[in-house]
Amino acid sequence: MTESPSPMSSPSPMSSTGSSASVSTSTASKAVVPSPATGPDAAVEQEGVLRERVSRLLQQHGALMVLAVLVAFGSVAFESFATTGNAASVIVSSAFPAIIAIGMTFVIISGGIDLSVGSLFVLGGVLAAYASPAGPLAALALPLAVCGLVGLVQGLIIARTGMAPFIVTLAGMLGVRGLMLAISNEGATTYLVRDPIFAALGQDGFFGLTYPVYITVLLALLGMLLLQRTGFGQNVYAIGGNEDAAALMGVPVARTKVLVYLMSGLLAGLAGVLNAARLSSGVTILGIGLELDVIAAVVIGGTLLTGGVGGITGTMAGVLLMGVIQSLINQVGNLTSSVQQVVSGVFLALVVIAQRLLSKAQGIS
């Protein structure tokens, strides 16, 4: 006979519920909290995390590392390289492209490009020298207003029509160059800066460095703050990473693009103004190919041409790195400017290839 359990021996509903709840909780806790990987899987996972961290470090600070190596090499190889005069020369000459590169960093991170900055640089210098007889304020206001307007128009066209930034800014580059030639009588007229206060803005300074260097440092710090600590900077990163996703998240895509190109135009014009003050004239033959040098410096500094990745610190290192390379070539003494361009081109190609490999290692398409 089969003995049926007596009521006394049957588990009570409460005890049964409590027991099952306890088991369920225990099971759930085991399911939610994953056990740490052990053995070969853990080693592979740690190796992948380490590789990603190293790749990110090299991409963000690789230019700074190479800069330190080249400075150390130049100091050992050439006696005149590590002098105060040579260092000041490199820093001062790098200040003007660095100002333009700050604006270009924002543009490229947003997924765009600005080919008009070289022409705006020259136009800003010519307009500053042209307006300098009216005083230093006029020499500052006129070029900034015109160059800012050009950047604003380009940004509006790109943001509102969806046209490719390459085409829009290429047209801007040609149009601005034509405007500069018209103002300077096809380049035959060179306007001189006769206002001593305005000239002092580009020629005077302290601690062996002129005012444009300190202006560049201030603008770089403001650019870092704007890019890393404000909603506008996060919008720039979001648009460069995925414009469609940024729009779905409510990011003001059109407004951000317009502001980015406005900033680029203003900074290119400002660099031209400071350069005109330094040279005491609006030289019309400058700026040819400058936009390519600035783009190269930004890319060397770790900003991806595809957008969404980059920073001002890397850009400043990239500008200085290109200045140091030029200085090292000059130290050799028997190399022509064509060799300098070849070296710069090869170096840029190697940097782009390295960036691509590092991006793949980080899982960035």
Side-chain angles (χ1 to χ4, degrees):
M1 292 181 60
T2 304
E3 183 177 359
S4 60
S6 64
M8 296 295 296
S9 63
S10 299
S12 64
M14 183 173 296
S15 64
S16 175
T17 304
S19 175
S20 62
S22 174
V23 172
S24 300
T25 304
S26 175
T27 304
S29 63
K30 291 180 180 179
V32 172
V33 181
S35 59
T38 57
D41 292 339
V44 171
E45 182 178 352
Q46 292 177 358
E47 182 180 353
V49 172
L50 179 61
R51 186 186 301 112
E52 182 178 349
R53 290 179 178 176
V54 172
S55 300
R56 185 179 297 109
L57 179 65
L58 289 176
Q59 184 167 13
Q60 294 177 350
H61 305 292
L64 191 59
M65 298 176 186
V66 176
L67 176 62
V69 171
L70 287 183
V71 169
F73 168 77
S75 301
V76 174
F78 305 101
E79 294 182 0
S80 60
F81 178 81
T83 60
T84 304
N86 185 64
S89 175
V90 171
I91 294 174
V92 170
S93 62
S94 298
F96 306 99
I99 293 175
I100 305 174
I102 294 171
M104 186 67 74
T105 302
F106 279 83
V107 171
I108 295 180
I109 290 177
S110 71
I113 201 76
D114 190 352
L115 300 179
S116 67
V117 292
S119 297
L120 288 172
F121 171 76
V122 183
L123 178 63
V126 171
L127 290 176
Y130 174 80
S132 62
L137 291 180
L140 281 170
L142 178 62
L144 290 182
V146 174
C147 294
L149 179 61
V150 173
L152 176 63
V153 171
Q154 291 184 148
L156 286 172
I157 295 174
I158 293 170
R160 299 300 181 183
T161 67
M163 293 180 62
F166 179 88
I167 299 300
V168 175
T169 58
L170 177 61
M173 176 184 73
L174 299 175
V176 169
R177 180 72 63 171
L179 177 60
M180 182 273 299
L181 291 175
I183 296 173
S184 61
N185 298 318
E186 301 297 325
T189 301
T190 300
Y191 298 101
L192 301 179
V193 175
R194 303 188 184 279
D195 186 280
I197 298 177
F198 178 65
L201 180 64
Q203 299 173 8
D204 292 350
F206 47 91
F207 299 124
L209 300 174
T210 55
Y211 290 129
V213 175
Y214 298 102
I215 294 174
T216 302
V217 173
L218 178 60
L219 291 173
L221 292 175
L222 291 175
M224 294 177 197
L225 181 64
L226 188 62
L227 194 58
Q228 301 291 340
R229 301 297 180 182
T230 66
F232 171 74
Q234 299 309 306
N235 291 342
V236 172
Y237 278 113
I239 293 172
N242 191 320
E243 183 175 331
D244 294 333
L248 291 175
M249 291 188 298
V251 174
V253 176
R255 184 176 66 188
T256 303
K257 284 186 175 183
V258 171
L259 291 175
V260 160
Y261 285 94
L262 172 61
M263 180 190 305
S264 181
L266 285 172
L267 290 176
L270 177 61
V273 169
L274 295 175
N275 190 58
R278 180 181 69 130
L279 300 177
S280 293
S281 63
V283 182
T284 59
I285 61 174
L286 298 177
I288 299 176
L290 178 61
E291 60 279 346
L292 301 181
D293 292 337
V294 170
I295 293 171
V298 174
V299 173
I300 288 172
T303 299
L304 294 182
L305 282 172
T306 53
V309 176
I312 302 297
T313 304
T315 294
M316 294 298 100
V319 173
L320 286 175
L321 180 56
M322 293 191 68
V324 168
I325 291 175
Q326 297 296 332
S327 178
L328 288 174
I329 293 175
N330 293 334
Q331 295 292 325
V332 177
N334 57 355
L335 299 179
T336 63
S337 59
S338 59
V339 175
Q340 296 179 3
Q341 294 178 357
V342 170
V343 172
S344 299
V346 171
F347 186 76
L348 176 60
L350 293 176
V351 168
V352 172
I353 294 173
Q355 279 194 351
R356 185 61 180 169
L357 296 176
L358 294 173
S359 298
K360 287 185 176 181
Q362 297 176 56
I364 302 175
S365 57

